[in-house]
């Protein structure tokens, strides 16, 4: 066993365990020679860079003092946990934004414009981002437009989709909110009834309910009825405003 | 910096909108819709090319994987930011508490040692100098 040990470390350990003086605990003994010996011994197995020598010892003159093991105080880092790191990195605004008020739990609150049932876990339908990272799709590096021959593969049968695939574009029911949508969707072939549309209708209704307007309308009708037989040139397509002038 | 994100966001919004419209066309397909569908398919490829172009501008942006986990669970990823900030502040306070306690302990120890070993502590102070104010 000792042979194996000696073969590993290159020399036999015949000196025995170092005494207290060798460790530097003896009073008034110079430290340098044992420390140097230790370093030589250690450098056999461990690379020099890995040996943490720590901060240098104080003055050589102070070796005879009672604090000969005293080392230089570590250089104080400018940035420690003593300073408020959120203020240091100018993150107060972000902190107040996210921690000052309650952040809504659902993903649809973060991405209200995104169609589909996005609050369901992605693992259920295999649409998770993790699976995209772990198993990236096998494809070319570039995207090229589909040619006429390729597009024949996308010829579909007439008729509605089977039941199980219809959920793709159905939006989950939303609570009525006063928030306005940030972006208006252009080129919408089948625009769903947006809150702005319904507001517009409501406004129209409100206008119709106005009693003054009702009176004016009645007056217009009466005038029309009176004038229509006498003035056959006047048609119903003319703006009503001109008749009031 | 924000322009990069705005550009990507715009392309993604257009892409998603195109996909949504394709979904509507496909959900009740009519023979006359084939041309429109073909156009949408090619528009989808153009959209992917646009998103691909944005990639070069965003090479230096790193997204933590944990944020993806929130999205996969159908949760708001802002909750991740919130939790990170709260954790950072808590840890910051904890470390500050430790530093403050150790500083107090050091000054108390020096005071008490000075009472018991006045000579040694005088020498210690001569070597180390006076402690900086805590």
């Amino acid at each position: 066993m000792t042979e194996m040990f000696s073969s590993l470390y290159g020399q036999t350990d015949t000196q025995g365990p170092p005494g207290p003086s060798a460790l530097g605990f003896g009073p008034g003994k110079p430290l340098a020679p044992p420390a140097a010996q230790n370093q030589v011994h250690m450098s056999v197995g461990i690379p020099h860079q890995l040996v943490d020598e720590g901060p240098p010892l104080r003055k050589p003159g102070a070796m005879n003092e009672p604090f000969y093991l005293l080392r230089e105080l570590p250089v104080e880092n400018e940035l420690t946990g003593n300073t408020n790191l959120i203020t240091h990195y100018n993150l107060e605004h972000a902190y107040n934004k996210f921690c000052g008020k309650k952040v809504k739990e659902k993903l649809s609150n973060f991405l209200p414009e995104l169609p589909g049932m996005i609050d369901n876990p992605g693992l259920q339908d295999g649409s998770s981002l993790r699976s995209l990272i772990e198993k990236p799709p096998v494809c070319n590096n570039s995207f090229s437009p589909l040619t006429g021959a390729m597009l024949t593969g996308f010829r579909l049968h007439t008729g509605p989709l089977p039941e199980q695939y219809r959920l793709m574009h159905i939006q989950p029911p939303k609570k009525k909110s006063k928030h306005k949508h940030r972006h208006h969707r252009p080129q919408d072939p089948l625009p769903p009834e947006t809150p702005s549309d319904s507001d517009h209708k409501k406004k129209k209704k409100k206008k119709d309910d106005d009693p003054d307007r009702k009176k004016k309308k009645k007056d217009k009708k009466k005038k029309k009825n009176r004038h229509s037989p006498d003035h056959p040139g006047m048609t119903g397509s003319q703006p009503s405003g001109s008749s009031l002038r | 910096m924000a322009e990069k994100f705005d550009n990507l966001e715009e392309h993604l919004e257009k892409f998603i909108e195109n996909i949504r419209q394709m979904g509507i066309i496909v959900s009740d397909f009519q023979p006359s819709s084939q041309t429109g569908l073909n156009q949408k398919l090619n528009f989808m490829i153009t959209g992917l090319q646009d998103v691909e172009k944005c990639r070069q501008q965003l090479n230096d942006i790193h997204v933590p994987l944990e944020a993806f986990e929130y999205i996969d669970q159908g949760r708001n990823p802002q909750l991740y930011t919130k939790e990170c900030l709260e954790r950072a502040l808590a840890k910051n306070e904890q470390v500050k508490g430790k530093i403050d306690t150790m500083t107090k302990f050091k000054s108390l120890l020096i005071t008490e040692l000075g009472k018991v070993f006045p000579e040694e502590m005088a020498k210690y102070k001569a070597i180390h100098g006076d402690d900086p104010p805590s």
Side-chain angles (χ1 to χ4, degrees), chain A residues 136-166:
Chain A
V138 183
C139 59
N140 287 337
N141 286 334
S142 60
F143 301 102
S144 45
L146 298 170
T147 58
M150 284 167 157
L151 283 168
T152 52
F154 291 94
R155 267 189 202 150
L156 300 183
H157 293 288
T158 315
L161 271 180
E163 196 69 44
Q164 68 264 32
Y165 302 117
R166 277 186 208 171

PDB file of all heavy atoms in Angstrom, chain A residues 136-166:
ATOM      1  N   PRO A 136     -35.360  19.844 -32.701  1.00  0.00           N
ATOM      2  CA  PRO A 136     -35.621  20.838 -33.765  1.00  0.00           C
ATOM      3  C   PRO A 136     -36.072  20.151 -35.049  1.00  0.00           C
ATOM      4  O   PRO A 136     -35.618  19.040 -35.349  1.00  0.00           O
ATOM      5  CB  PRO A 136     -34.274  21.539 -33.942  1.00  0.00           C
ATOM      6  CG  PRO A 136     -33.270  20.695 -33.274  1.00  0.00           C
ATOM      7  CD  PRO A 136     -33.954  19.791 -32.321  1.00  0.00           C
ATOM      8  N   PRO A 137     -36.994  20.800 -35.779  1.00  0.00           N
ATOM      9  CA  PRO A 137     -37.493  20.161 -37.000  1.00  0.00           C
ATOM     10  C   PRO A 137     -36.392  20.014 -38.042  1.00  0.00           C
ATOM     11  O   PRO A 137     -35.513  20.883 -38.165  1.00  0.00           O
ATOM     12  CB  PRO A 137     -38.578  21.128 -37.487  1.00  0.00           C
ATOM     13  CG  PRO A 137     -38.277  22.411 -36.820  1.00  0.00           C
ATOM     14  CD  PRO A 137     -37.597  22.102 -35.541  1.00  0.00           C
ATOM     15  N   VAL A 138     -36.434  18.911 -38.742  1.00  0.00           N
ATOM     16  CA  VAL A 138     -35.430  18.665 -39.788  1.00  0.00           C
ATOM     17  C   VAL A 138     -35.872  19.405 -41.038  1.00  0.00           C
ATOM     18  O   VAL A 138     -36.917  19.101 -41.622  1.00  0.00           O
ATOM     19  CB  VAL A 138     -35.293  17.149 -40.079  1.00  0.00           C
ATOM     20  CG1 VAL A 138     -34.210  16.893 -41.109  1.00  0.00           C
ATOM     21  CG2 VAL A 138     -35.004  16.393 -38.800  1.00  0.00           C
ATOM     22  N   CYS A 139     -35.111  20.410 -41.420  1.00  0.00           N
ATOM     23  CA  CYS A 139     -35.486  21.191 -42.599  1.00  0.00           C
ATOM     24  C   CYS A 139     -34.262  21.884 -43.178  1.00  0.00           C
ATOM     25  O   CYS A 139     -33.193  21.885 -42.571  1.00  0.00           O
ATOM     26  CB  CYS A 139     -36.561  22.221 -42.257  1.00  0.00           C
ATOM     27  SG  CYS A 139     -36.046  23.353 -40.986  1.00  0.00           S
ATOM     28  N   ASN A 140     -34.475  22.520 -44.332  1.00  0.00           N
ATOM     29  CA  ASN A 140     -33.383  23.254 -44.971  1.00  0.00           C
ATOM     30  C   ASN A 140     -33.107  24.541 -44.215  1.00  0.00           C
ATOM     31  O   ASN A 140     -33.922  24.982 -43.405  1.00  0.00           O
ATOM     32  CB  ASN A 140     -33.765  23.585 -46.418  1.00  0.00           C
ATOM     33  CG  ASN A 140     -33.725  22.349 -47.281  1.00  0.00           C
ATOM     34  OD1 ASN A 140     -33.043  21.375 -46.974  1.00  0.00           O
ATOM     35  ND2 ASN A 140     -34.491  22.388 -48.359  1.00  0.00           N
ATOM     36  N   ASN A 141     -31.993  25.153 -44.530  1.00  0.00           N
ATOM     37  CA  ASN A 141     -31.651  26.414 -43.866  1.00  0.00           C
ATOM     38  C   ASN A 141     -32.382  27.610 -44.457  1.00  0.00           C
ATOM     39  O   ASN A 141     -32.524  28.630 -43.816  1.00  0.00           O
ATOM     40  CB  ASN A 141     -30.143  26.655 -43.946  1.00  0.00           C
ATOM     41  CG  ASN A 141     -29.404  25.746 -42.993  1.00  0.00           C
ATOM     42  OD1 ASN A 141     -29.961  25.323 -41.982  1.00  0.00           O
ATOM     43  ND2 ASN A 141     -28.167  25.438 -43.324  1.00  0.00           N
ATOM     44  N   SER A 142     -32.820  27.479 -45.707  1.00  0.00           N
ATOM     45  CA  SER A 142     -33.476  28.623 -46.350  1.00  0.00           C
ATOM     46  C   SER A 142     -34.925  28.282 -46.690  1.00  0.00           C
ATOM     47  O   SER A 142     -35.290  27.105 -46.803  1.00  0.00           O
ATOM     48  CB  SER A 142     -32.723  29.003 -47.613  1.00  0.00           C
ATOM     49  OG  SER A 142     -32.726  27.904 -48.486  1.00  0.00           O
ATOM     50  N   PHE A 143     -35.734  29.325 -46.845  1.00  0.00           N
ATOM     51  CA  PHE A 143     -37.141  29.147 -47.208  1.00  0.00           C
ATOM     52  C   PHE A 143     -37.315  29.592 -48.653  1.00  0.00           C
ATOM     53  O   PHE A 143     -36.952  30.719 -49.007  1.00  0.00           O
ATOM     54  CB  PHE A 143     -38.034  30.011 -46.316  1.00  0.00           C
ATOM     55  CG  PHE A 143     -37.902  29.690 -44.862  1.00  0.00           C
ATOM     56  CD1 PHE A 143     -37.144  30.504 -44.034  1.00  0.00           C
ATOM     57  CD2 PHE A 143     -38.533  28.594 -44.319  1.00  0.00           C
ATOM     58  CE1 PHE A 143     -37.015  30.213 -42.690  1.00  0.00           C
ATOM     59  CE2 PHE A 143     -38.403  28.296 -42.973  1.00  0.00           C
ATOM     60  CZ  PHE A 143     -37.652  29.105 -42.155  1.00  0.00           C
ATOM     61  N   SER A 144     -37.831  28.697 -49.484  1.00  0.00           N
ATOM     62  CA  SER A 144     -38.056  29.076 -50.886  1.00  0.00           C
ATOM     63  C   SER A 144     -39.549  28.983 -51.184  1.00  0.00           C
ATOM     64  O   SER A 144     -40.238  28.100 -50.665  1.00  0.00           O
ATOM     65  CB  SER A 144     -37.265  28.153 -51.816  1.00  0.00           C
ATOM     66  OG  SER A 144     -37.424  26.820 -51.401  1.00  0.00           O
ATOM     67  N   PRO A 145     -40.057  29.902 -52.012  1.00  0.00           N
ATOM     68  CA  PRO A 145     -41.496  29.905 -52.311  1.00  0.00           C
ATOM     69  C   PRO A 145     -41.931  28.619 -53.015  1.00  0.00           C
ATOM     70  O   PRO A 145     -41.132  27.984 -53.704  1.00  0.00           O
ATOM     71  CB  PRO A 145     -41.679  31.127 -53.204  1.00  0.00           C
ATOM     72  CG  PRO A 145     -40.361  31.741 -53.395  1.00  0.00           C
ATOM     73  CD  PRO A 145     -39.340  30.966 -52.655  1.00  0.00           C
ATOM     74  N   LEU A 146     -43.200  28.279 -52.819  1.00  0.00           N
ATOM     75  CA  LEU A 146     -43.723  27.029 -53.400  1.00  0.00           C
ATOM     76  C   LEU A 146     -44.019  27.236 -54.877  1.00  0.00           C
ATOM     77  O   LEU A 146     -44.627  28.246 -55.262  1.00  0.00           O
ATOM     78  CB  LEU A 146     -44.997  26.612 -52.677  1.00  0.00           C
ATOM     79  CG  LEU A 146     -44.856  26.309 -51.178  1.00  0.00           C
ATOM     80  CD1 LEU A 146     -46.225  26.154 -50.543  1.00  0.00           C
ATOM     81  CD2 LEU A 146     -44.042  25.057 -50.957  1.00  0.00           C
ATOM     82  N   THR A 147     -43.611  26.297 -55.668  1.00  0.00           N
ATOM     83  CA  THR A 147     -43.899  26.367 -57.105  1.00  0.00           C
ATOM     84  C   THR A 147     -45.300  25.804 -57.358  1.00  0.00           C
ATOM     85  O   THR A 147     -45.918  25.229 -56.448  1.00  0.00           O
ATOM     86  CB  THR A 147     -42.866  25.545 -57.886  1.00  0.00           C
ATOM     87  OG1 THR A 147     -42.907  24.199 -57.399  1.00  0.00           O
ATOM     88  CG2 THR A 147     -41.468  26.090 -57.723  1.00  0.00           C
ATOM     89  N   GLY A 148     -45.756  25.973 -58.609  1.00  0.00           N
ATOM     90  CA  GLY A 148     -47.096  25.494 -58.961  1.00  0.00           C
ATOM     91  C   GLY A 148     -47.273  24.010 -58.681  1.00  0.00           C
ATOM     92  O   GLY A 148     -48.301  23.572 -58.165  1.00  0.00           O
ATOM     93  N   ALA A 149     -46.236  23.233 -59.008  1.00  0.00           N
ATOM     94  CA  ALA A 149     -46.316  21.780 -58.799  1.00  0.00           C
ATOM     95  C   ALA A 149     -46.405  21.450 -57.302  1.00  0.00           C
ATOM     96  O   ALA A 149     -47.144  20.554 -56.892  1.00  0.00           O
ATOM     97  CB  ALA A 149     -45.092  21.123 -59.406  1.00  0.00           C
ATOM     98  N   MET A 150     -45.665  22.209 -56.530  1.00  0.00           N
ATOM     99  CA  MET A 150     -45.685  21.967 -55.069  1.00  0.00           C
ATOM    100  C   MET A 150     -47.048  22.323 -54.478  1.00  0.00           C
ATOM    101  O   MET A 150     -47.522  21.675 -53.550  1.00  0.00           O
ATOM    102  CB  MET A 150     -44.611  22.829 -54.384  1.00  0.00           C
ATOM    103  CG  MET A 150     -43.196  22.322 -54.558  1.00  0.00           C
ATOM    104  SD  MET A 150     -42.075  23.625 -54.026  1.00  0.00           S
ATOM    105  CE  MET A 150     -40.633  22.678 -53.659  1.00  0.00           C
ATOM    106  N   LEU A 151     -47.642  23.365 -55.023  1.00  0.00           N
ATOM    107  CA  LEU A 151     -48.928  23.830 -54.486  1.00  0.00           C
ATOM    108  C   LEU A 151     -50.064  22.830 -54.731  1.00  0.00           C
ATOM    109  O   LEU A 151     -51.090  22.887 -54.039  1.00  0.00           O
ATOM    110  CB  LEU A 151     -49.288  25.189 -55.098  1.00  0.00           C
ATOM    111  CG  LEU A 151     -48.528  26.390 -54.499  1.00  0.00           C
ATOM    112  CD1 LEU A 151     -48.729  27.624 -55.344  1.00  0.00           C
ATOM    113  CD2 LEU A 151     -48.954  26.653 -53.074  1.00  0.00           C
ATOM    114  N   THR A 152     -49.862  21.942 -55.694  1.00  0.00           N
ATOM    115  CA  THR A 152     -50.909  20.934 -55.926  1.00  0.00           C
ATOM    116  C   THR A 152     -51.090  20.040 -54.693  1.00  0.00           C
ATOM    117  O   THR A 152     -52.159  19.470 -54.484  1.00  0.00           O
ATOM    118  CB  THR A 152     -50.559  20.051 -57.149  1.00  0.00           C
ATOM    119  OG1 THR A 152     -49.236  19.555 -56.969  1.00  0.00           O
ATOM    120  CG2 THR A 152     -50.675  20.819 -58.449  1.00  0.00           C
ATOM    121  N   GLY A 153     -50.040  19.950 -53.913  1.00  0.00           N
ATOM    122  CA  GLY A 153     -50.143  19.166 -52.675  1.00  0.00           C
ATOM    123  C   GLY A 153     -51.045  19.801 -51.641  1.00  0.00           C
ATOM    124  O   GLY A 153     -51.410  19.169 -50.656  1.00  0.00           O
ATOM    125  N   PHE A 154     -51.407  21.052 -51.847  1.00  0.00           N
ATOM    126  CA  PHE A 154     -52.255  21.764 -50.881  1.00  0.00           C
ATOM    127  C   PHE A 154     -53.690  21.926 -51.404  1.00  0.00           C
ATOM    128  O   PHE A 154     -54.414  22.786 -50.940  1.00  0.00           O
ATOM    129  CB  PHE A 154     -51.652  23.140 -50.569  1.00  0.00           C
ATOM    130  CG  PHE A 154     -50.374  23.042 -49.791  1.00  0.00           C
ATOM    131  CD1 PHE A 154     -49.148  23.031 -50.426  1.00  0.00           C
ATOM    132  CD2 PHE A 154     -50.408  22.938 -48.411  1.00  0.00           C
ATOM    133  CE1 PHE A 154     -47.969  22.931 -49.704  1.00  0.00           C
ATOM    134  CE2 PHE A 154     -49.234  22.841 -47.679  1.00  0.00           C
ATOM    135  CZ  PHE A 154     -48.006  22.834 -48.325  1.00  0.00           C
ATOM    136  N   ARG A 155     -54.059  21.128 -52.384  1.00  0.00           N
ATOM    137  CA  ARG A 155     -55.451  21.164 -52.860  1.00  0.00           C
ATOM    138  C   ARG A 155     -56.330  20.492 -51.819  1.00  0.00           C
ATOM    139  O   ARG A 155     -56.110  19.343 -51.441  1.00  0.00           O
ATOM    140  CB  ARG A 155     -55.580  20.436 -54.189  1.00  0.00           C
ATOM    141  CG  ARG A 155     -55.443  21.387 -55.346  1.00  0.00           C
ATOM    142  CD  ARG A 155     -55.790  20.699 -56.646  1.00  0.00           C
ATOM    143  NE  ARG A 155     -55.173  21.409 -57.761  1.00  0.00           N
ATOM    144  CZ  ARG A 155     -54.800  20.847 -58.875  1.00  0.00           C
ATOM    145  NH1 ARG A 155     -54.971  19.562 -59.053  1.00  0.00           N
ATOM    146  NH2 ARG A 155     -54.276  21.563 -59.837  1.00  0.00           N
ATOM    147  N   LEU A 156     -57.315  21.218 -51.369  1.00  0.00           N
ATOM    148  CA  LEU A 156     -58.148  20.700 -50.268  1.00  0.00           C
ATOM    149  C   LEU A 156     -59.517  20.255 -50.770  1.00  0.00           C
ATOM    150  O   LEU A 156     -59.986  20.703 -51.823  1.00  0.00           O
ATOM    151  CB  LEU A 156     -58.320  21.790 -49.205  1.00  0.00           C
ATOM    152  CG  LEU A 156     -57.039  22.314 -48.561  1.00  0.00           C
ATOM    153  CD1 LEU A 156     -57.384  23.329 -47.497  1.00  0.00           C
ATOM    154  CD2 LEU A 156     -56.207  21.195 -47.959  1.00  0.00           C
ATOM    155  N   HIS A 157     -60.123  19.401 -49.967  1.00  0.00           N
ATOM    156  CA  HIS A 157     -61.487  18.967 -50.274  1.00  0.00           C
ATOM    157  C   HIS A 157     -62.455  20.046 -49.824  1.00  0.00           C
ATOM    158  O   HIS A 157     -62.214  20.728 -48.829  1.00  0.00           O
ATOM    159  CB  HIS A 157     -61.807  17.663 -49.539  1.00  0.00           C
ATOM    160  CG  HIS A 157     -60.998  16.509 -50.046  1.00  0.00           C
ATOM    161  ND1 HIS A 157     -61.208  15.924 -51.253  1.00  0.00           N
ATOM    162  CD2 HIS A 157     -59.945  15.858 -49.480  1.00  0.00           C
ATOM    163  CE1 HIS A 157     -60.328  14.942 -51.435  1.00  0.00           C
ATOM    164  NE2 HIS A 157     -59.544  14.893 -50.365  1.00  0.00           N
ATOM    165  N   THR A 158     -63.533  20.157 -50.551  1.00  0.00           N
ATOM    166  CA  THR A 158     -64.554  21.143 -50.192  1.00  0.00           C
ATOM    167  C   THR A 158     -65.294  20.680 -48.929  1.00  0.00           C
ATOM    168  O   THR A 158     -65.470  19.487 -48.719  1.00  0.00           O
ATOM    169  CB  THR A 158     -65.566  21.287 -51.355  1.00  0.00           C
ATOM    170  OG1 THR A 158     -64.820  21.363 -52.571  1.00  0.00           O
ATOM    171  CG2 THR A 158     -66.427  22.509 -51.207  1.00  0.00           C
ATOM    172  N   GLY A 159     -65.675  21.655 -48.137  1.00  0.00           N
ATOM    173  CA  GLY A 159     -66.479  21.338 -46.956  1.00  0.00           C
ATOM    174  C   GLY A 159     -65.807  21.739 -45.665  1.00  0.00           C
ATOM    175  O   GLY A 159     -64.648  22.142 -45.658  1.00  0.00           O
ATOM    176  N   PRO A 160     -66.561  21.643 -44.585  1.00  0.00           N
ATOM    177  CA  PRO A 160     -65.993  22.063 -43.282  1.00  0.00           C
ATOM    178  C   PRO A 160     -64.971  21.059 -42.757  1.00  0.00           C
ATOM    179  O   PRO A 160     -64.961  19.900 -43.160  1.00  0.00           O
ATOM    180  CB  PRO A 160     -67.217  22.134 -42.376  1.00  0.00           C
ATOM    181  CG  PRO A 160     -68.202  21.212 -42.995  1.00  0.00           C
ATOM    182  CD  PRO A 160     -67.948  21.204 -44.464  1.00  0.00           C
ATOM    183  N   LEU A 161     -64.157  21.530 -41.841  1.00  0.00           N
ATOM    184  CA  LEU A 161     -63.133  20.682 -41.216  1.00  0.00           C
ATOM    185  C   LEU A 161     -63.774  19.667 -40.275  1.00  0.00           C
ATOM    186  O   LEU A 161     -64.853  19.927 -39.737  1.00  0.00           O
ATOM    187  CB  LEU A 161     -62.192  21.545 -40.379  1.00  0.00           C
ATOM    188  CG  LEU A 161     -60.952  22.151 -41.018  1.00  0.00           C
ATOM    189  CD1 LEU A 161     -60.208  22.942 -39.966  1.00  0.00           C
ATOM    190  CD2 LEU A 161     -60.035  21.073 -41.571  1.00  0.00           C
ATOM    191  N   PRO A 162     -63.144  18.522 -40.063  1.00  0.00           N
ATOM    192  CA  PRO A 162     -63.652  17.619 -39.034  1.00  0.00           C
ATOM    193  C   PRO A 162     -63.643  18.303 -37.655  1.00  0.00           C
ATOM    194  O   PRO A 162     -62.858  19.223 -37.426  1.00  0.00           O
ATOM    195  CB  PRO A 162     -62.657  16.453 -39.056  1.00  0.00           C
ATOM    196  CG  PRO A 162     -61.987  16.534 -40.367  1.00  0.00           C
ATOM    197  CD  PRO A 162     -62.015  17.947 -40.789  1.00  0.00           C
ATOM    198  N   GLU A 163     -64.502  17.808 -36.805  1.00  0.00           N
ATOM    199  CA  GLU A 163     -64.742  18.457 -35.496  1.00  0.00           C
ATOM    200  C   GLU A 163     -63.460  18.697 -34.703  1.00  0.00           C
ATOM    201  O   GLU A 163     -63.262  19.778 -34.142  1.00  0.00           O
ATOM    202  CB  GLU A 163     -65.691  17.574 -34.693  1.00  0.00           C
ATOM    203  CG  GLU A 163     -66.334  18.266 -33.497  1.00  0.00           C
ATOM    204  CD  GLU A 163     -67.333  19.338 -33.895  1.00  0.00           C
ATOM    205  OE1 GLU A 163     -68.158  19.102 -34.814  1.00  0.00           O
ATOM    206  OE2 GLU A 163     -67.269  20.417 -33.294  1.00  0.00           O
ATOM    207  N   GLN A 164     -62.569  17.701 -34.694  1.00  0.00           N
ATOM    208  CA  GLN A 164     -61.402  17.790 -33.799  1.00  0.00           C
ATOM    209  C   GLN A 164     -60.400  18.867 -34.195  1.00  0.00           C
ATOM    210  O   GLN A 164     -59.562  19.274 -33.406  1.00  0.00           O
ATOM    211  CB  GLN A 164     -60.697  16.430 -33.663  1.00  0.00           C
ATOM    212  CG  GLN A 164     -60.006  15.931 -34.909  1.00  0.00           C
ATOM    213  CD  GLN A 164     -60.883  14.977 -35.702  1.00  0.00           C
ATOM    214  OE1 GLN A 164     -62.106  15.107 -35.713  1.00  0.00           O
ATOM    215  NE2 GLN A 164     -60.262  14.014 -36.377  1.00  0.00           N
ATOM    216  N   TYR A 165     -60.468  19.332 -35.447  1.00  0.00           N
ATOM    217  CA  TYR A 165     -59.515  20.346 -35.902  1.00  0.00           C
ATOM    218  C   TYR A 165     -60.081  21.753 -35.874  1.00  0.00           C
ATOM    219  O   TYR A 165     -59.416  22.710 -36.230  1.00  0.00           O
ATOM    220  CB  TYR A 165     -59.035  20.023 -37.321  1.00  0.00           C
ATOM    221  CG  TYR A 165     -58.387  18.673 -37.437  1.00  0.00           C
ATOM    222  CD1 TYR A 165     -58.948  17.685 -38.239  1.00  0.00           C
ATOM    223  CD2 TYR A 165     -57.229  18.366 -36.734  1.00  0.00           C
ATOM    224  CE1 TYR A 165     -58.374  16.433 -38.340  1.00  0.00           C
ATOM    225  CE2 TYR A 165     -56.654  17.116 -36.827  1.00  0.00           C
ATOM    226  CZ  TYR A 165     -57.231  16.151 -37.629  1.00  0.00           C
ATOM    227  OH  TYR A 165     -56.658  14.917 -37.724  1.00  0.00           O
ATOM    228  N   ARG A 166     -61.330  21.885 -35.464  1.00  0.00           N
ATOM    229  CA  ARG A 166     -61.963  23.200 -35.545  1.00  0.00           C
ATOM    230  C   ARG A 166     -61.507  24.152 -34.448  1.00  0.00           C
ATOM    231  O   ARG A 166     -61.687  25.342 -34.557  1.00  0.00           O
ATOM    232  CB  ARG A 166     -63.490  23.052 -35.480  1.00  0.00           C
ATOM    233  CG  ARG A 166     -64.049  22.717 -36.834  1.00  0.00           C
ATOM    234  CD  ARG A 166     -65.538  22.705 -36.801  1.00  0.00           C
ATOM    235  NE  ARG A 166     -66.045  21.783 -37.808  1.00  0.00           N
ATOM    236  CZ  ARG A 166     -67.285  21.425 -37.911  1.00  0.00           C
ATOM    237  NH1 ARG A 166     -68.185  21.866 -37.048  1.00  0.00           N
ATOM    238  NH2 ARG A 166     -67.665  20.599 -38.860  1.00  0.00           N
TER     239      ARG A 166
END
